[in-house]
Amino acid sequence: MRPLLAVNNLRVYYHTAQGPVKAVQDVSFDLQAGERLGLIGESGSGKSTLALAIMRLIKPPGRIEAGEVWLDGTPVLSLSEEQMRQLRLASIALISQGAMNSLNPVMRVRDQILDGLHDHGLRLSRSEAEERVGELLEWVGLQRSVADMFPHELSGGMKQRVCIAIAISLHPKVIIADEPTSALDVVVQRQVMETLRRVQEDLAASVILIGHDMGLTAQFADRVGIMYAGRLVESGPVGDIFSQPRHPYSQLLIASLPTLEKKGVFQGIAGFPPSLLELPPGCVFHPRCPYAMERCSREEPQLRPVGPRHQAACHLLAEGQEVTA
Ligand code: SF4
């Protein structure tokens, strides 16, 4: 079955006076129709840059250096700017990190929702526009009266729902949600995630959920990708990733999660992610990896199948050794 979204060997660098910051390095993955993919990694692992690259929203000094993005058979990276503008929102929508803070403070919610529709050539009568906005607001669990409000009159959770309403206003096939619940309290986080899940199911859309909250991702995603220093180091079904992570980084990440026994303390992983300006040779994780071998500092491991739709990039797996957390 042809995937709805296919990302092949995508590479994104930011060109600085100190040299290229290698934010995304040869990342490949597929997304099937209706699938929910969670992308997890520490900050600076390339998740947000990957989202912007798929949307063709990388700004200089950033540049897509190589790779392909196919959306439902359309080669996204070859489209003109105008074609890309039409594709955004109509076929693929991004709820960017901090989206709720980028709502226009001097525009009513109604006009912010209608802006995107007008931008895509939709001409609605006053009553049709009112009905469309009302339906969208109810869809994300808000009252129709919110249309008359300004962003400063809304709570954080309400603002994020407005962002979801804008993102789904043209019924996109793919929604990318970058840290959609950061800066919200735990109860509101759950409510926003439930809203996202409900609209995803109603639309039968695919979602890429980007974040570092493993708990939220585990509850939401069908499949999980783990990123480290711009690379996808493991991907697989959510149950396999959490019960049988195969890459040492994934194992440490999951082992570091707070549990009842650990009394809610986040354990963390020893060491720091490398500078993307000066990546270590070989496996980029080798300076922090408890299993590093001589080969790891000179040869970069490639993703290889370790189970059904489960891949990981580690030399230990290539040598048939088991790694256990
Ligand atoms: Fe660790 Fe080597 Fe595997 Fe990298 S390739 S994760 S350094 S064992």
Side-chain angles (χ1 to χ4, degrees):
M1 189 169 47
R2 184 177 79 183
L4 178 59
L5 179 75
V7 173
N8 301 328
N9 299 312
L10 194 59
R11 187 181 300 170
V12 186
Y13 291 173
Y14 291 93
H15 294 274
T16 70
Q18 290 75 38
V21 173
K22 298 176 178 174
V24 171
Q25 187 74 30
D26 302 336
V27 168
S28 301
F29 66 88
D30 287 348
L31 190 65
Q32 299 294 335
E35 196 169 34
R36 295 184 290 263
L37 172 71
L39 278 182
I40 300 175
E42 291 165 288
S43 65
S45 60
K47 309 175 304 267
S48 298
T49 299
L50 179 59
L52 291 173
I54 293 170
M55 298 295 296
R56 287 256 312 262
L57 290 172
I58 295 285
K59 300 260 185 307
R63 201 167 66 199
I64 296 175
E65 302 288 330
E68 298 175 335
V69 177
W70 292 85
L71 177 64
D72 209 8
T74 300
V76 170
L77 302 187
S78 309
L79 297 179
S80 67
E81 279 305 322
E82 178 53 25
Q83 288 170 320
M84 195 59 220
R85 201 176 61 78
Q86 290 301 325
L87 197 82
R88 286 187 209 113
L89 215 58
S91 298
I92 185 164
L94 172 69
I95 303 166
S96 60
Q97 205 172 7
M100 63 183 185
N101 297 323
S102 57
L103 287 171
N104 189 328
V106 295
M107 263 175 100
R108 292 184 198 277
V109 166
R110 171 188 297 101
D111 298 325
Q112 310 213 29
I113 294 177
L114 288 176
D115 237 21
L117 302 181
H118 292 156
D119 206 37
H120 281 74
L122 239 76
R123 297 290 164 253
L124 301 170
S125 68
R126 204 183 165 90
S127 61
E128 286 169 336
E130 202 57 32
E131 187 53 28
R132 187 77 173 251
V133 170
E135 279 172 8
L136 282 165
L137 290 173
E138 282 182 350
W139 199 359
V140 297
L142 293 171
Q143 294 187 348
R144 287 181 177 236
S145 56
V146 168
D148 285 322
M149 298 169 87
F150 290 99
H152 71 86
E153 298 176 277
L154 309 176
S155 67
M158 290 167 83
K159 279 194 245 181
Q160 197 56 298
R161 281 164 201 261
V162 169
C163 294
I164 296 175
I166 293 171
I168 61 170
S169 59
L170 286 168
H171 298 190
K173 300 181 193 114
V174 177
I175 301 166
I176 304 178
D178 188 2
E179 308 256 12
T181 61
S182 59
L184 299 175
D185 70 50
V186 177
V187 176
V188 181
Q189 279 185 359
R190 302 277 157 197
Q191 292 167 347
V192 168
M193 290 309 296
E194 276 163 25
T195 302
L196 188 58
R197 187 180 195 118
R198 186 160 40 75
V199 298
Q200 179 262 330
E201 286 175 351
D202 292 346
L203 285 172
S206 308
V207 171
I208 300 176
L209 173 69
I210 293 173
H212 55 253
D213 187 323
M214 306 275 280
L216 276 183
T217 307
Q219 284 175 18
F220 181 83
D222 308 309
R223 219 149 49 89
V224 172
I226 310 265
M227 289 194 68
Y228 185 79
R231 280 118 174 114
L232 189 65
V233 296
E234 181 161 6
S235 73
V238 64
D240 294 355
I241 294 284
F242 280 87
S243 64
Q244 266 197 307
R246 304 299 298 276
H247 191 282
Y249 176 64
S250 315
Q251 294 179 346
L252 289 169
L253 210 55
I254 288 161
S256 71
L257 286 175
T259 61
L260 281 178
E261 297 79 59
K262 290 188 234 163
K263 297 195 174 23
V265 178
F266 182 73
Q267 305 294 305
I269 298 176
F272 297 96
S275 157
L276 299 175
L277 261 172
E278 231 176 314
L279 287 163
C283 173
V284 286
F285 188 56
H286 87 258
R288 297 172 85 184
C289 181
Y291 308 104
M293 312 169 278
E294 187 274 326
R295 178 185 179 189
C296 300
S297 55
R298 56 182 167 77
E299 213 181 303
E300 180 160 11
Q302 303 301 314
L303 277 174
R304 62 183 62 239
V306 293
R309 297 200 77 202
H310 189 173
Q311 301 175 298
C314 172
H315 291 314
L316 285 173
L317 299 165
E319 294 180 6
Q321 297 178 37
E322 269 306 307
V323 277
T324 47

